Amino acid sequence: MEGENTVKLHGLRKSPFSFRVELALKIKGIPYEFVEEDLKNKSELLLKYNPVHKKIPVLVHNGKPILESLVTVEYIDETWNDNGPRLLPQDPYTRAQLFVAVRQVLITKGEAQEKAIKEEIDTLKVVEEGMLEFFPTTPITNENQLGVLDIIICSVLGSYEALEEVFGVKLIDPERNPLVFSWLEAVLKLPVVKEIRPTHEETVTYLQNLRDNLKVCKA
């Protein structure tokens, strides 16, 4: 029987999807237990909480599972709205516009994984232009300045160096994507991010496995 306000996150440390949920918990200052899953030998609890898709991450709050990383980040922000900074804007219109920008980033990531990353580099220019109004105008110096868009983009592009090593393509650079690059460098230096961010070597291994699995599926 789960106790009151018990929070567990079933995930994989090297997964960008688990990372974004864990970062949201960290920013909000919510105590939680991280349950490391073996995706080749999934736990009975993971299969119980997500019996259809059997995927991570799964946030379990008081015994109730919340699925899908973006939905989970929104749940965290609404449930613990008095903890830490608000991750989502309260104004409905601003929030709707923000989710449009988030979807652009997520679509870019998915396409980049399933197709040649080279085909997607130019779309980052469009994404950057669309996100101008949501990025802070002052330099980021602490986690209280972060919001959901920061969390999503950090999880998507934070591994850009590993992506370059595995796929042989420079996804972002200071000249082509100055806004995203400078913002990303500042965020990656924050202690709250460094504490849970996978190492470069771990990310390379994760991406190599992902690449190899995609090749097998297409064979």
Side-chain angles (χ1 to χ4, degrees):
M1 187 73 174
E2 300 283 1
E4 184 178 0
N5 287 327
T6 298
V7 179
K8 292 185 179 181
L9 176 58
H10 291 256
L12 188 67
R13 290 287 185 186
K14 293 176 281 189
S15 165
F17 306 103
S18 295
F19 173 78
R20 67 179 57 149
V21 174
E22 188 173 14
L23 183 55
L25 291 169
K26 285 283 187 182
I27 293 171
K28 299 290 279 186
I30 302 164
Y32 66 95
E33 176 186 348
F34 191 96
V35 181
E36 183 80 12
E37 290 286 348
D38 179 356
L39 299 187
K40 294 182 179 179
N41 185 25
K42 298 172 184 177
S43 70
E44 292 183 7
L45 281 177
L46 177 63
L47 300 178
K48 170 189 173 183
Y49 290 131
N50 193 357
V52 177
H53 300 292
K54 304 178 177 64
K55 294 181 178 180
I56 52 116
V58 175
L59 183 76
V60 183
H61 181 212
N62 295 340
K64 298 179 180 179
I66 300 93
L67 312 178
E68 303 295 338
S69 60
L70 186 55
V71 172
T72 304
V73 170
E74 184 175 11
Y75 175 86
I76 289 169
D77 196 39
E78 292 295 335
T79 303
W80 290 278
N81 55 18
D82 292 329
N83 288 58
R86 288 306 302 261
L87 303 177
L88 287 159
Q90 292 181 307
D91 175 65
Y93 178 77
T94 304
R95 179 178 292 203
Q97 294 301 108
L98 178 60
F99 274 112
V100 170
V102 167
R103 280 198 298 273
Q104 282 183 299
V105 176
L106 294 178
I107 291 171
T108 299
K109 174 65 173 177
E111 292 294 315
Q113 287 181 342
E114 297 176 9
K115 296 181 180 179
I117 294 181
K118 289 180 180 179
E119 297 177 0
E120 299 305 322
I121 289 177
D122 287 341
T123 64
L124 278 174
K125 296 179 182 179
V126 178
V127 171
E128 180 161 321
E129 292 171 2
M131 294 187 306
L132 279 171
E133 62 181 297
F134 298 108
F135 272 96
T137 56
T138 56
I140 292 179
T141 57
N142 63 74
E143 62 267 25
N144 289 328
Q145 295 173 271
L146 300 180
V148 67
L149 184 58
D150 306 284
I151 293 172
I152 298 300
I153 299 178
C154 182
S155 67
V156 169
L157 297 178
S159 57
Y160 71 94
E161 292 177 316
L163 282 165
E164 180 179 352
E165 180 173 334
V166 174
F167 293 99
V169 176
K170 197 173 186 64
L171 192 61
I172 60 174
D173 64 40
E175 295 183 3
R176 187 174 57 231
N177 315 105
L179 176 61
V180 173
F181 186 87
S182 61
W183 170 88
L184 191 57
E185 288 297 298
V187 171
L188 294 179
K189 293 177 182 177
L190 295 177
V192 69
V193 175
K194 293 170 68 175
E195 181 182 353
I196 62 173
R197 186 186 177 210
T199 66
H200 176 76
E201 292 73 19
E202 289 173 333
T203 305
V204 166
T205 300
Y206 175 82
L207 290 173
Q208 287 173 336
N209 290 335
L210 180 64
R211 179 196 59 191
D212 294 342
N213 288 336
L214 287 173
K215 287 182 178 179
V216 170
C217 290
K218 293 178 180 180

